[in-house]
Amino acid sequence: MEIERLVLPGPGPAAPQDAALLCARLARLYDGGAGAVVCDAAAVTTPGLADVQVLARLRLAARGRGGFAVTGAGPALRALLDLVGLVELLREAEEGEPPGGVQEGVESDDLAV
């Protein structure tokens, strides 16, 4: 499974057109074969609700297409995502594990649990 990287613009708050542009980029990554996308939010140093809206729209755009997780979020963005109930986007992948929301394939000879 190929994991691609998407970078949020920063350091200021997101612009109104950012969500549409990033969702289109996300769709191109999935259409190009990405099994999961990790969104780098490290550049977002002064987050606002527009940044939360961008991440929420990206999450919706990723639903059913592949895994989606956010990395690099600073304390202010983490607090905002927690406040609006989107903190689960920040689940960091364990070493060797896919990002949050990625389901591993099941082989026909796997034991049922």
Side-chain angles (χ1 to χ4, degrees):
M1 165 182 37
E2 190 167 335
I3 298 176
E4 292 287 342
R5 187 168 173 252
L6 183 69
V7 179
L8 290 182
Q17 68 273 16
D18 287 343
L21 294 172
L22 288 167
C23 284
R25 170 80 175 122
L26 181 69
R28 284 192 304 275
L29 290 173
Y30 286 126
D31 291 343
V37 175
V38 175
C39 182
D40 184 352
V44 181
T45 57
T46 54
L49 290 178
D51 298 295
V52 173
Q53 180 185 21
V54 166
L55 290 172
R57 288 191 55 195
L58 286 169
R59 177 185 181 200
L60 288 173
R63 189 168 286 169
R65 299 201 69 181
F68 181 77
V70 177
T71 62
L77 182 55
R78 286 178 175 275
L80 273 175
L81 290 172
D82 188 32
L83 183 67
V84 300
L86 292 174
V87 74
E88 72 274 1
L89 290 175
L90 299 175
R91 284 185 283 188
E92 302 288 333
E94 299 277 332
E95 187 174 329
E97 291 290 319
V102 177
Q103 295 183 358
E104 294 183 26
V106 178
E107 299 296 324
S108 61
D109 61 345
D110 284 348
L111 296 175
V113 181

